[in-house]
Every structure is written in C-alpha cells, then in structure tokens.
Amino acid sequence: MSKAAEIVTCNETADAFQKLYYEKLDKQRHGTHGLVNLYTPEATMTWNGNTAKGRSSIAELLGTLPMSTCHIHSVDAQPINEKAFNNKAIMVAITGNIRYSGIPDKEFAQTFILQKTDSATMKISYDCFRFLNEF
C-alpha cells in the first residue's frame, strides 16, 4: 500500500472511530457496552491532567464527568511506524466543543493512539483530552 493510500485509510478509520467514540461518550458512557470497551485493558487516559491507567480506572474517571454533548470540528489521523508499537497503530487528533449539563460549551483537543489488537480491531491505548483556552 502506498503512503498516500495508508493515510487515506487512517483517516477513514479515524472518522468511523470518532463517530463511535463520541456517540458512546455522550450516550453510553457506562455499562457493559459502554465507552470503556473501546480501550485496551492496559490503556492510559489523561483528562485535563488527571491520569487513569487501565479500564477500571478509566471507567471510574469517566464516571465522575457530567453528561455531555460533543460537536466535532476536525479529525486528522496519521499512521505510526509499526516498530514504535510492535503492531499497527494510528494517531488520531480531534478538536471540537463539549457541553456539560448547565455549563457553556468548552473547546477541546483530544489525541488518541489506536492500536490493532489480536482480533484485528483498533482499540485505544493512549487518550489525552484537554480543554482549550483554560490557561
């Protein structure tokens, strides 16, 4: 596959991923089919400086957040050299607005590393979320 074709495939994967991720964040954050199942068992999430490692810690951190509605502005993805993760991986960068109940919209940036698993699906291994214009 050419590099250009690989980038197109990464962006198609990222677009499908972001639709699923933010749908689950807004509507299915909890439960057996919830958001946490998109993460690898040993994933790391950093949410505005608060770090959680592993699915149970990530589920706990997500459980502290109020209900939300997300509007995505941009999605970009790039392949990561397979030697970096000993497996196929892509970096996904997203910007948008998030609205929590009773709080005005806030701009955010979120970066994911998606890794191919043994089952040939992509799961989140790293997730970094940050509000913009908070400093």
Side-chain angles (χ1 to χ4, degrees), residues 72-124:
I72 304 307
H73 299 290
S74 67
V75 179
D76 187 33
Q78 295 292 318
I80 296 175
N81 187 314
E82 289 184 24
K83 293 176 186 175
F85 284 91
N86 295 323
N87 206 342
K88 184 172 178 110
I90 63 174
M91 182 192 76
V92 180
I94 297 172
T95 62
N97 284 0
I98 189 166
R99 175 177 292 172
Y100 295 111
S101 301
I103 300 172
D105 285 12
K106 292 185 175 216
E107 290 182 294
F108 73 90
Q110 192 163 13
T111 304
F112 300 93
I113 301 297
L114 304 180
Q115 255 182 298
K116 188 177 248 184
T117 64
D118 293 337
S119 63
T121 59
M122 301 292 285
K123 297 258 184 184
I124 303 164

Side-chain angles (χ1 to χ4, degrees):
M1 178 183 302
S2 72
K3 194 65 165 171
E6 187 177 9
I7 291 171
V8 168
T9 300
C10 283
N11 279 290
E12 289 170 349
T13 301
D15 189 51
F17 163 76
Q18 67 88 13
K19 288 175 183 169
L20 176 65
Y21 181 87
Y22 292 104
E23 174 78 14
K24 287 188 175 285
L25 179 68
D26 291 343
K27 297 180 179 157
Q28 294 180 327
R29 199 175 298 165
H30 310 290
T32 55
H33 299 291
L35 184 61
V36 74
N37 292 324
L38 298 179
Y39 291 84
T40 63
E42 57 283 332
T44 299
M45 168 192 255
T46 302
W47 191 276
N48 280 316
N50 300 298
T51 299
K53 293 184 181 188
R55 281 186 183 156
S56 61
S57 294
I58 291 169
E60 188 176 319
L61 189 148
L62 290 169
T64 65
L65 302 174
M67 293 309 296
S68 62
T69 304
C70 293
H71 299 282
I72 304 307
H73 299 290
S74 67
V75 179
D76 187 33
Q78 295 292 318
I80 296 175
N81 187 314
E82 289 184 24
K83 293 176 186 175
F85 284 91
N86 295 323
N87 206 342
K88 184 172 178 110
I90 63 174
M91 182 192 76
V92 180
I94 297 172
T95 62
N97 284 0
I98 189 166
R99 175 177 292 172
Y100 295 111
S101 301
I103 300 172
D105 285 12
K106 292 185 175 216
E107 290 182 294
F108 73 90
Q110 192 163 13
T111 304
F112 300 93
I113 301 297
L114 304 180
Q115 255 182 298
K116 188 177 248 184
T117 64
D118 293 337
S119 63
T121 59
M122 301 292 285
K123 297 258 184 184
I124 303 164
S125 58
Y126 296 95
D127 174 0
C128 183
F129 177 97
R130 181 66 76 176
F131 289 126
L132 302 176
N133 303 318
E134 291 282 312
F135 300 101

